[in-house]
Amino acid sequence: MKQRVSALLREKFNCDVILEKPKDRSFGHFATPIAFSLAKELRKSPMAIAEEIAASFNEHEMFGAVESVKGYINFRLSESFLDEYASWALSHGEQFGSSDKKGSILLEFVSANPTGPLHIGHARGAVYGDTMLRLGRHLGYDITAEYYVNDAGNQIDLLGVSLQLEGRSSLLGESVEWPEKYYRGEYLSDLAKEVVELFGAEALRDESRQKELALWAKDKILALIVDDLKAINIEFDTFVSEASLYDEWDRVMAKMGEGVYVNEGKTFIRSSELGDDHDRVVVREDGRPTYLAGDIIYHNQKFERGFEDYINIWGADHHGYIARVKAAITYLGYDASKLEVLLSQMVSLLKDGEPFKMSKRAGTVILMSDVVEEIGSDALRFMFASKKCDTALEFDIEELKRQDSSNPIYYIQYAHARIQTLIAKSEKRMDEIMAAHLHGLSSDADGLLFEALLLPEIIDDAFESRQAQKLPDYLKVLAGRLHKFYYDTRIIGSEDEAALLKLLLVVALSIKTGLSLLGIQAKDRM
RNA sequence: GCGUCCGUAGCUCAGCUGGAUAGAGCACCGGUUUGCGGUACCGGCGGUCAGGGAUUCGAAUUCCUUCGGGCGCACCA
């Protein structure tokens, strides 16, 4: 819709014209302050210029009115245009707002270590990533959702030891020393029980079996993570195992050429020449690779697979890591600017004002699955999707358990359900409704229709600007307008019943489509 | 100290590429249809957009700076 108007103006002025939606809808649907910027070069007052421009549009069929006010030019779309557009939207169903953008994108997110269940911080990145995935796909991009599994290195060794310690302490009743950084948590004692059943109790004491147990456990834990994600409607296309990549090591090192060097028995990457603070070790003196090494081969593999763009969603605590990975990509001979790293900031959780602490090692973590159990997947997803991801976030569980207008997800669902009830109650047949024409709309009805038809622009904007929260914000506003309209306007039995229902169908369509892009299913009844 | 993100109403947060009177929800106070689900709607209270400077017709938005907070600054992942 906006694109159509925008294109028209571009043609007329031969340049891109800023088009905005006036806060006060009595000004029209769109407005532009272009007269202000033209004032200087034309040596005329903005008002005079606006007058002239407005007059030149007066006969255009797309507009019902074009007026100039205090230098702004306000456009009001014609009813026939809106009606036509509404019919077009309804005929497209949930494809409304889709597009035919081209491009393949590899989207990597979550990638939590398979050493414990997901906690609430992971959930934020997961929801954000999945929302971007759904938005991007709706727009036509070919996106692969990938989970990188850190199943090599230290944390796997730690997992094996932790598992044995946990088993010996909780099952065999031994008193054991818990070193600070080892993993703790309920999931470990469950796993230890399984170990005893499958391998016998002696497996918990045999140090030589630590590795074997660790590898067994990480598969179990990964399966747990996958289940957790499924519970909030997130599924990945591919999982890439870090351990499986190391066969490529020599080839990748050779590929980096001068980008790496050996000093005092250690292998370094020359990342300081590409914006990093200093060069980083990739292979230790004893030959064990560092964490960075895994990421280097992984990103090499990503680029060899030949996507057009790459998006990584990382926790904010990894931001210092971006420079070195980009340096590696450059040394591997690829364009590092194709990798876009989006950071999701920390989450803290409140309950009655009391802050919860999150520490993976301490065993007092807030598990995502616990929160989902409390408030449900929909509320969790809506919550995280509504906040832009570069602000540290605090939220209170209790607020999200409410089932009234203070909880936006209920507010929106209720709007959708109200429409479905009206459709069911009406005697009008669907074909009558679809054939109805929208004309003589009140300003409330017009505002509601216009809002509902904005969905495509919102989707595009939310994805391209990587600001997922624009969609939830939009849905809140749309639902609010619907509720008000419902309150003010009698629909069943009115003269315009069919037309009004058509209008409401468009609203329902936008809500349903919008929610599905948030991984939430619209409800017909509540 | 360096890097990075942030600072908007008492609280949790929006505010699009600079534009018309800075917005929601919560909390608090008050109100609502002889009607389709009151799980709704309306009104009131509440702001030096952290402070200062710059850019310009115009800044919450861009730039610089000070202050305050989160995160990171490993041969840990």
Side-chain angles (χ1 to χ4, degrees):
Chain A
M1 196 158 53
K2 187 175 176 182
Q3 284 159 3
R4 301 265 297 268
V5 179
S6 198
L8 193 70
L9 294 179
R10 193 179 310 120
E11 203 176 302
K12 182 154 183 115
F13 296 103
N14 217 356
C15 67
D16 279 324
V17 175
I18 295 166
L19 209 54
E20 60 196 30
K21 288 167 279 187
K23 275 171 222 152
D24 183 345
R25 282 287 157 73
S26 69
F27 285 129
H29 297 115
F30 293 110
T32 177
I34 189 171
F36 291 100
S37 37
L38 290 177
K40 216 171 223 176
E41 72 183 81
L42 296 181
R43 298 175 160 276
K44 282 199 265 186
S45 82
M47 319 249 209
I49 296 169
E51 283 298 336
E52 279 175 40
I53 296 174
S56 75
F57 275 111
N58 253 340
E59 296 303 311
H60 202 283
E61 60 181 13
M62 196 187 287
F63 305 112
V66 182
E67 295 162 344
S68 81
V69 180
K70 294 199 297 194
Y72 292 86
I73 303 159
N74 298 330
F75 299 89
R76 182 178 308 283
L77 296 166
S78 68
E79 288 192 331
S80 60
F81 175 78
L82 287 171
D83 181 50
E84 208 177 299
Y85 192 57
S87 299
W88 180 84
L90 288 172
S91 69
H92 281 69
E94 284 199 52
Q95 288 309 302
F96 180 46
S98 68
S99 184
D100 55 355
K101 303 224 178 188
K102 302 281 182 269
S104 61
I105 301 172
L106 182 65
L107 174 65
E108 183 215 325
F109 62 111
V110 186
S111 297
N113 290 345
T115 50
L118 296 179
H119 59 62
I120 194 67
H122 294 129
R124 187 178 195 180
V127 168
Y128 180 60
D130 188 61
T131 306
M132 295 313 293
L133 174 67
R134 287 166 187 266
L135 289 170
R137 280 186 177 158
H138 198 71
L139 291 170
Y141 292 108
D142 176 16
I143 308 184
T144 301
E146 185 155 287
Y147 189 121
Y148 176 55
V149 186
N150 287 119
D151 54 1
N154 244 332
Q155 75 274 17
I156 290 298
D157 298 337
L158 281 183
L159 176 62
V161 179
S162 303
L163 182 56
Q164 288 189 328
L165 287 174
E166 176 66 35
R168 283 166 55 197
S169 122
S170 67
L171 299 178
L172 308 182
E174 296 178 19
S175 69
V176 296
E177 292 263 318
W178 283 99
E180 186 60 34
K181 59 183 178 176
Y182 284 50
Y183 303 118
R184 304 288 302 264
E186 210 180 320
Y187 69 100
L188 272 181
S189 52
D190 293 344
L191 285 175
K193 258 177 235 163
E194 272 197 67
V195 168
V196 174
E197 285 165 22
L198 287 173
F199 308 104
E202 64 275 14
L204 291 174
R205 294 205 182 84
D206 186 349
E207 275 187 34
S208 70
R209 298 186 69 175
Q210 277 169 0
K211 185 85 182 173
E212 175 200 346
L213 291 182
L215 292 176
W216 169 84
K218 67 106 175 139
D219 285 337
K220 303 288 286 188
I221 294 171
L222 187 60
L224 220 111
I225 291 174
V226 168
D227 283 347
D228 279 355
L229 290 170
K230 214 170 257 172
I232 57 170
N233 296 326
I234 297 179
E235 287 189 49
F236 283 86
D237 299 310
T238 48
F239 291 81
V240 172
S241 145
E242 180 187 3
S244 73
L245 294 171
Y246 280 99
D247 296 343
E248 304 277 310
W249 181 244
D250 291 337
R251 189 173 66 81
V252 173
M253 288 298 281
K255 198 166 168 181
M256 294 221 286
E258 294 298 306
V260 290
Y261 63 93
V262 176
N263 187 24
E264 295 173 356
K266 293 173 265 193
T267 307
F268 289 81
I269 177 169
R270 258 181 245 282
S271 53
S272 65
E273 288 179 16
L274 293 173
D276 198 4
D277 297 337
H278 42 264
D279 292 352
R280 308 286 168 175
V281 173
V282 288
V283 184
R284 303 176 180 92
E285 220 166 340
D286 61 9
R288 284 158 51 236
T290 63
Y291 181 76
L292 179 59
D295 256 321
I296 293 174
I297 352 177
Y298 176 40
H299 281 85
N300 178 63
Q301 190 244 29
K302 278 186 178 180
F303 276 81
E304 283 184 351
R305 288 196 275 160
F307 291 86
E308 283 164 55
D309 284 294
Y310 302 84
I311 301 177
N312 288 0
I313 294 170
W314 285 350
D317 52 342
H318 281 61
H319 82 255
Y321 209 71
I322 299 172
R324 54 193 97 156
V325 170
K326 288 206 169 206
I329 291 170
T330 304
Y331 285 129
L332 286 164
Y334 300 107
D335 178 1
S337 71
K338 289 193 161 200
L339 174 67
E340 188 181 348
V341 181
L342 305 174
L343 300 175
S344 81
Q345 295 286 334
M346 303 292 123
V347 178
S348 44
L349 212 73
L350 296 175
K351 195 167 180 173
D352 309 321
E354 284 297 302
F356 283 96
K357 288 255 157 106
M358 283 189 293
S359 152
K360 191 169 188 180
R361 304 289 156 89
T364 58
V365 293
I366 300 167
L367 299 183
M368 184 186 97
S369 51
D370 289 344
V371 178
V372 171
E373 208 169 296
E374 287 247 359
I375 66 176
S377 163
D378 291 356
L380 178 89
R381 287 197 62 131
F382 196 88
M383 166 74 206
F384 282 131
S386 329
K387 313 294 178 187
K388 55 178 187 223
C389 61
D390 49 10
T391 348
L393 173 64
E394 225 174 32
F395 76 93
D396 198 305
I397 288 188
E398 293 304 319
E399 279 177 29
L400 293 170
K401 283 162 84 173
R402 291 191 213 150
Q403 309 218 345
D404 57 35
S405 65
S406 71
N407 188 349
I409 186 61
Y410 278 90
Y411 187 70
I412 294 164
Q413 290 282 24
Y414 183 41
H416 186 264
R418 273 187 148 169
I419 295 171
Q420 299 309 322
T421 306
L422 286 176
I423 299 289
K425 205 160 235 173
S426 169
E427 315 248 305
K428 301 284 178 194
R429 294 188 319 272
M430 200 48 90
D431 56 328
E432 278 179 89
I433 297 174
M434 299 296 261
H437 286 287
L438 299 165
H439 61 84
L441 294 174
S442 66
S443 69
D444 285 347
D446 173 88
L448 180 61
L449 176 62
F450 179 71
E451 196 70 42
L453 292 174
L454 283 175
L455 181 74
E457 283 136 61
I458 303 294
I459 294 172
D460 188 273
D461 188 23
F463 181 78
E464 300 299 347
S465 68
R466 312 293 189 239
Q467 309 257 305
Q469 81 280 0
K470 291 182 178 189
L471 180 55
D473 275 354
Y474 164 75
L475 292 175
K476 277 188 269 188
V477 170
L478 180 58
R481 278 179 178 269
L482 181 277
H483 286 306
K484 177 159 174 51
F485 184 74
Y486 180 94
Y487 184 82
D488 290 339
T489 314
R490 173 76 187 179
I491 292 152
I492 303 282
S494 81
E495 275 178 42
D496 308 321
E497 183 174 329
L500 291 176
L501 288 173
K502 180 178 174 184
L503 160 58
L504 294 191
L505 277 179
V506 179
V507 176
L509 174 63
S510 285
I511 292 179
K512 185 173 189 180
T513 308
L515 285 178
S516 83
L517 292 172
L518 296 173
I520 297 171
Q521 176 140 35
K523 294 190 165 101
D524 291 347
R525 271 196 307 260
M526 299 179 65

